[in-house]
Amino acid sequence: MNLVDSHTDEPETKKIKLDEPVEEAQSHIDSSQKTDLADQSSEENKTNLDPFAYTKTGAFTSEVFKIAIKNLHRYCSPADIKKFIKRHNFDPVKVKWLHHKRCAYVTFRDEETRQLAIKKLDKLVWKKCTLEVSEADPDKNPFVKNEALGNDKINDFQSVRQKTAPLYMMKYDEQLELKLSEIQIVLKCL
């Protein structure tokens, strides 16, 4: 008596011989699968080049809950701004003070706290200055910005290796011979 059921829920797969050329192996892929893969890769490229993609991923970032406080006193510090905000019963995550613009960016943990801070702090007088508080846009991701400009990717493993140790692919004996020949050329020029 056979207890094994011949029906399985797994999708039918085609077996490809390892000897056959790549073109024949690729022809076995369904055309709808090809278009799906192309759509996914184009969407990934778009999100990779979007400098604000990190705010849309669902992972927590306080950049989404940022406010801008303008018209601050010339001689206040980030610590003063943080104390001032805490005095009004808010807990800021981060305070970034731009003294040359007399502006500060303050981030909070959630949207509700951000909206309450905007309502409570806007048009408030502090150190003889009337504050202007508004929602602030998140910063652009600097890594994406560099990729869009076409700058070298410093985090690319191969480029880092090439810049720090350009002879890493050569055997040690070959490295020594190359270095010796370069030293001899330099010494002949002297």
Side-chain angles (χ1 to χ4, degrees):
M1 180 176 204
N2 189 0
L3 297 176
V4 178
D5 189 11
S6 63
H7 177 69
T8 60
D9 291 334
E10 295 179 16
E12 186 178 317
T13 58
K14 294 182 181 181
K15 294 183 179 180
I16 301 172
K17 295 179 184 176
L18 294 176
D19 320 359
E20 69 182 278
V22 175
E23 292 83 23
E24 289 179 29
Q26 288 179 344
S27 68
H28 291 295
I29 298 175
D30 194 37
S31 64
S32 64
Q33 291 175 336
K34 287 181 183 178
T35 57
D36 290 344
L37 292 173
D39 290 341
Q40 287 176 352
S41 66
S42 66
E43 287 176 14
E44 287 174 4
N45 287 339
K46 287 178 187 174
T47 57
N48 288 344
L49 294 178
D50 181 16
F52 299 106
Y54 74 100
T55 62
K56 301 168 189 164
T57 59
F60 176 76
T61 176
S62 60
E63 282 291 321
V64 179
F65 312 119
K66 183 163 62 171
I67 63 171
I69 304 176
K70 297 178 182 174
N71 198 24
L72 289 166
H73 192 270
R74 178 179 293 162
Y75 298 111
C76 65
S77 67
D80 292 337
I81 297 168
K82 198 167 191 173
K83 284 179 194 174
F84 171 74
I85 293 171
K86 283 189 175 188
R87 198 175 315 134
H88 290 283
N89 300 323
F90 296 110
D91 187 27
V93 174
K94 182 171 101 174
V95 175
K96 184 177 181 180
W97 165 235
L98 305 173
H99 60 86
H100 58 281
K101 292 185 178 181
R102 294 179 52 194
C103 173
Y105 292 104
V106 182
T107 57
F108 296 99
R109 296 195 189 284
D110 57 8
E111 182 66 27
E112 182 182 336
T113 309
R114 172 175 134 171
Q115 293 303 326
L116 286 172
I118 291 172
K119 281 183 186 176
K120 195 169 181 181
L121 300 176
D122 194 30
K123 308 265 191 265
L124 194 68
V125 177
W126 183 51
K127 292 188 177 184
K128 299 180 184 177
C129 295
T130 305
L131 304 179
E132 299 171 15
V133 182
S134 62
E135 291 183 1
D137 295 328
D139 284 338
K140 292 180 180 179
N141 187 344
F143 297 113
V144 173
K145 206 173 4 177
N146 289 339
E147 286 179 21
L149 293 174
N151 295 346
D152 290 339
K153 296 180 201 173
I154 193 63
N155 59 355
D156 184 18
F157 185 70
Q158 292 297 328
S159 67
V160 169
R161 268 200 161 163
Q162 190 63 35
K163 289 176 183 175
T164 57
L167 304 177
Y168 78 98
M169 293 293 287
M170 296 174 70
K171 293 182 180 177
Y172 185 67
D173 295 334
E174 294 172 4
Q175 288 180 23
L176 290 176
E177 289 174 12
L178 179 67
K179 290 176 183 178
L180 181 63
S181 65
E182 288 179 3
I183 290 172
Q184 289 174 346
I185 292 170
V186 170
L187 289 176
K188 285 179 184 177
C189 293
L190 295 177

